[in-house]
Amino acid sequence: MATCETASGDEDIALTLPAIITAELALANPRYVTLMELAAARKKLVEGAERVERLAPTLTSLALYPIAPRQRGILLSSIAELAAIIRAELGASS
Amino acid sequence: MKILLLAEHDGQRLETATRCALTAARAWPNARIEVLVCGCKADRVAKQAAQMEGVSGVWLADALHLEHPLLEDLCATLAAMAAPFTVVLAPHNRFFASVLARYAAQCDLGMVQDVLAITAPNVYVRLRHAGTALETVQNCAPRQILTVRASRFAPAGSGPQQSIRRLESPPATQLARRIRASAVGDGNPRLQDARVIVTGGRALGARFFSVLQPLAAALGAEIGATRGAVDSHFAPRHRQVGQTGFRVEPALYIAIGASGAIQHQVGMRNSKTVIAINKDPHAPIFEIADYGLVGDLFEVVPQLLEVFSATQHSSGRTPTPCRCRYPTMAHDAGVEAAHAASGNAS
């Protein structure tokens, strides 16, 4: 059984195994490898998985470009100034 | 050519996101667009869907297990009827992205998620590298499966009522069972649809809602939170803005006590105007803010609120106070006060 976040809250889901789940970063602490385990791992046999025939990937990247960065704006010096700007923005967007 | 649009709704009302996705679907010229509404007693939603401009027909899958569908069940319903459609698309959200990904995998097809623009019938623009780059990607698959970012497409208007056909949906798959569900949603419009958002960082601490709630109420804003604030349990996760939370694009975004980590910027950098309030003049948030104020938020916010309550801003809607799942915050004196205040206002 797993607890997962939904758009409006969370839910507990019981799954029939085998199942695939993804985990949130905050779920658990990472398990760091100790030097001894690292040495032991070298002796382990790595089994190859059988390749499953799938269709060739169909996605091609045509272009990749950075988003124009936002420019640094104006530093205000008073609350009154800030309030005036918020009021102007609220007026403009409504 | 036929296009299938998976409708997002709350059981009663069609979400605006569905109308936006319909506009996206019209990027394919001369296509017949049909909408799939899955739900339980969702006739009202189907009727609304059938009145969207550009729709040719609506399929209604009405079943008890589709009221709050599990991803396996929604996917099974979709798979049972979507084969004749060349394009299958849905407004992007976590759930629909999972459903369409599962469907795409079952069909052995590639899929593109969270599309920002459609430049040709199989060419899309999406974000890459944690939202710092745009990528144009072509999907050469014989059928196109995608989710689209609703806020990037104008919502479709109303048109003449089209036909609604009922669909026999396959029985529940029983692959998964929902044991418990809790909604901490507070009946507010969703963060992604908000016009104004006030976001707080970890710096607000346990006073997160008591500080932000009155300000948000005064400005008619929704409350967002950084991941730091959410991970520290100062705010619920459904308010998180950022790479692992929601990506929002409001007209006005006010970041309070948020340093502006790149992961947070990803979620809000497309806002129209950004205002930042932070104690640290070197905080990265000031690099991207249109207006910044250096100061202690615990002093700035109350003073700001004073200005606004002196000349009551006539906002059309005051958001209902957040009913939070964290009992410590729900009993926070400030939140109680905000409850009372908004109660009087309405």
Side-chain angles (χ1 to χ4, degrees):
Chain A
M1 190 163 83
T3 303
C4 37
E5 302 265 351
T6 62
S8 59
D10 59 9
E11 59 186 13
D12 292 345
I13 300 279
L15 294 160
T16 315
L17 297 177
I20 300 173
I21 61 168
T22 60
E24 289 255 345
L25 204 58
L27 177 70
N29 290 322
R31 186 176 150 186
Y32 297 106
V33 182
T34 64
L35 199 59
M36 257 174 62
E37 286 169 342
L38 195 69
R42 284 177 208 273
K43 298 197 185 90
K44 291 262 166 75
L45 184 73
V46 179
E47 282 179 51
E50 209 170 301
R51 206 177 154 215
V52 182
E53 272 316 312
R54 306 290 285 187
L55 291 181
T58 54
L59 290 190
T60 336
S61 180
L62 301 182
L64 186 64
Y65 41 95
I67 293 173
R70 287 187 81 98
Q71 298 298 312
R72 182 185 249 281
I74 306 160
L75 269 192
L76 308 171
S77 50
S78 75
I79 308 262
E81 232 180 317
L82 178 63
I85 280 164
I86 291 177
R87 196 164 286 141
E89 290 291 337
L90 285 178
S93 69
S94 59
Chain B
M1 193 184 108
K2 292 210 294 179
I3 297 178
L4 184 65
L5 165 62
L6 187 55
E8 184 180 356
H9 62 89
D10 62 3
Q12 295 292 321
R13 213 172 41 83
L14 199 66
E15 297 286 356
T16 311
T18 310
R19 296 180 178 277
C20 300
L22 176 65
T23 302
R26 296 177 84 178
W28 282 270
N30 307 322
R32 183 182 161 83
I33 303 171
E34 296 178 10
V35 179
L36 172 61
V37 175
C38 295
C40 181
K41 299 196 175 73
D43 300 79
R44 250 186 89 187
V45 178
K47 195 165 172 227
Q48 290 165 29
Q51 288 170 345
M52 287 192 294
E53 190 188 357
V55 164
S56 301
V58 172
W59 295 93
L60 174 60
D62 219 310
L64 198 59
H65 70 279
L66 293 178
E67 185 174 11
H68 301 289
L70 288 158
L71 114 83
E72 293 80 4
D73 293 336
L74 187 53
C75 184
T77 304
L78 180 70
M81 58 82 70
F85 294 89
T86 316
V87 179
V88 178
L89 88 167
H92 182 81
N93 59 48
R94 221 194 251 192
F95 182 61
F96 278 175
S98 307
V99 171
L100 289 201
R102 182 181 173 89
Y103 176 65
Q106 284 176 353
C107 302
D108 240 347
L109 291 165
M111 123 172 232
V112 186
Q113 291 192 357
D114 206 4
V115 165
L116 304 181
I118 300 170
T119 53
N122 63 354
V123 181
Y124 313 104
V125 178
R126 65 175 176 185
L127 287 173
R128 285 304 299 275
H129 302 298
T132 56
L134 287 170
E135 183 180 43
T136 309
V137 68
Q138 184 171 34
N139 187 0
C140 299
R143 294 174 64 211
Q144 302 289 314
I145 299 178
L146 63 149
T147 58
V148 298
R149 168 100 50 114
S151 58
R152 290 304 178 95
F153 299 91
S158 299
Q161 167 96 35
Q162 301 294 328
S163 67
I164 300 170
R165 276 164 292 178
R166 287 187 171 268
L167 195 68
E168 203 57 50
S169 64
T173 60
Q174 310 285 351
L175 284 173
R177 277 177 305 127
R178 187 180 281 110
I179 304 297
R180 176 195 64 87
S182 79
V184 293
D186 23 43
N188 286 348
R190 302 177 313 162
L191 214 49
Q192 300 103 295
D193 301 336
R195 203 169 50 82
V196 184
I197 295 178
V198 174
T199 287
R202 189 161 24 198
L204 282 148
R207 288 155 74 190
F208 192 92
F209 279 98
S210 61
V211 171
L212 291 190
Q213 190 86 62
L215 182 65
L219 302 181
E222 289 298 322
I223 295 178
T226 66
R227 182 168 153 212
V230 171
D231 280 355
S232 307
H233 301 292
F234 299 142
R237 191 160 303 271
H238 72 277
R239 294 193 175 270
Q240 184 182 329
V241 172
Q243 192 177 352
T244 49
F246 290 114
R247 299 189 178 183
V248 298
E249 302 173 356
L252 178 60
Y253 188 90
I254 307 177
I256 297 175
S259 64
I262 184 72
Q263 292 85 349
H264 180 69
Q265 292 188 13
V266 170
M268 47 66 76
R269 64 193 313 159
N270 291 323
S271 307
K272 191 167 151 279
T273 304
V274 175
I275 295 176
I277 301 168
N278 204 301
K279 211 159 50 170
D280 175 12
H282 303 294
I285 192 77
F286 288 123
E287 298 293 330
I288 62 158
D290 299 288
Y291 304 99
L293 183 70
V294 178
D296 183 352
L297 65 95
F298 292 112
E299 291 167 15
V300 173
V301 175
Q303 286 180 34
L304 193 60
L305 191 60
E306 242 167 68
V307 178
F308 275 96
S309 46
T311 51
Q312 191 64 51
H313 176 71
S314 56
S315 165
R317 61 181 177 81
T318 315
T320 49
C322 171
R323 284 189 293 280
C324 205
R325 68 174 140 160
Y326 301 100
T328 49
M329 286 193 296
H331 293 110
D332 187 313
V335 178
E336 297 294 322
H339 276 244
S342 67
N344 294 341
S346 59

